[in-house]
Amino acid sequence: MRQKLYQLHLSQLLSHWRKSKNNNYSDKRKKDYHENLSKIISFLEAEEIYSFTNNQILERKYVLDFIFKSIEFLDSSVLSTSPHEIVYCLEIALEDWIRDEKFIVVINLTRIYL
């Protein structure tokens, strides 16, 4: 049964991925991150899960959840929706706070309806 649930989860991810795989980013690092996600997704698609144990399937599900979250944040960081001023300010602050670290600023936009 876990295999069927995993396949469903993977199918949902692939559907979500198809919508976001042509995203346009202002930052090359986001594009690179997106391409790395693509490699992981390709690997997951090619796996034969029928011989996996329940723990292996659970591990893969955690990877799928991570990719879902990554896509969610990347989708909110595209050229057409990203508030560039906020991202710029965050980058300046992070450079001051985290001097030797590489980082990518992604945001998750939510709309509040009153």
Side-chain angles (χ1 to χ4, degrees), residues 1-14 44 49-50 52-54 56-65 68:
M1 183 62 179
R2 286 187 189 262
Q3 294 163 341
K4 296 285 186 195
L5 290 173
Y6 174 81
Q7 287 176 317
L8 174 63
H9 200 57
L10 179 60
S11 294
Q12 291 169 329
L13 173 68
L14 294 175
L44 292 170
I49 64 160
Y50 292 106
F52 284 5
T53 66
N54 284 340
Q56 289 172 314
I57 291 174
L58 187 60
E59 289 169 357
R60 297 314 188 280
K61 189 209 177 291
Y62 291 139
V63 173
L64 294 181
D65 290 342
F68 263 115

Side-chain angles (χ1 to χ4, degrees), residues 55-89:
N55 282 342
Q56 289 172 314
I57 291 174
L58 187 60
E59 289 169 357
R60 297 314 188 280
K61 189 209 177 291
Y62 291 139
V63 173
L64 294 181
D65 290 342
F66 172 79
I67 294 170
F68 263 115
K69 270 298 179 199
S70 295
I71 293 170
E72 179 183 329
F73 278 87
L74 284 172
D75 282 351
S76 293
S77 299
V78 294
L79 281 170
S80 60
T81 61
S82 179
H84 302 288
E85 299 82 3
I86 293 172
V87 172
Y88 179 75
C89 290

Side-chain angles (χ1 to χ4, degrees):
M1 183 62 179
R2 286 187 189 262
Q3 294 163 341
K4 296 285 186 195
L5 290 173
Y6 174 81
Q7 287 176 317
L8 174 63
H9 200 57
L10 179 60
S11 294
Q12 291 169 329
L13 173 68
L14 294 175
S15 175
H16 194 60
W17 178 251
R18 277 191 225 68
K19 294 175 187 172
S20 69
K21 71 178 185 178
N22 295 320
N23 282 352
N24 226 349
Y25 303 104
S26 60
D27 186 341
K28 182 182 176 343
R29 296 171 297 174
K30 291 176 191 165
K31 178 76 172 153
D32 293 342
Y33 188 83
H34 197 263
E35 289 171 5
N36 286 330
L37 288 178
S38 178
K39 292 174 189 174
I40 297 169
I41 290 170
S42 296
F43 177 80
L44 292 170
E45 278 184 290
E47 285 188 311
E48 277 295 329
I49 64 160
Y50 292 106
S51 62
F52 284 5
T53 66
N54 284 340
N55 282 342
Q56 289 172 314
I57 291 174
L58 187 60
E59 289 169 357
R60 297 314 188 280
K61 189 209 177 291
Y62 291 139
V63 173
L64 294 181
D65 290 342
F66 172 79
I67 294 170
F68 263 115
K69 270 298 179 199
S70 295
I71 293 170
E72 179 183 329
F73 278 87
L74 284 172
D75 282 351
S76 293
S77 299
V78 294
L79 281 170
S80 60
T81 61
S82 179
H84 302 288
E85 299 82 3
I86 293 172
V87 172
Y88 179 75
C89 290
L90 287 171
E91 286 175 344
I92 297 300
L94 284 171
E95 286 173 3
D96 189 37
W97 295 336
I98 308 172
R99 296 189 186 275
D100 295 332
E101 297 291 324
K102 293 182 180 181
F103 56 85
I104 301 172
V105 176
V106 292
I107 54 175
N108 188 0
L109 297 175
T110 56
R111 291 186 171 86
I112 299 173
Y113 298 100
L114 301 175

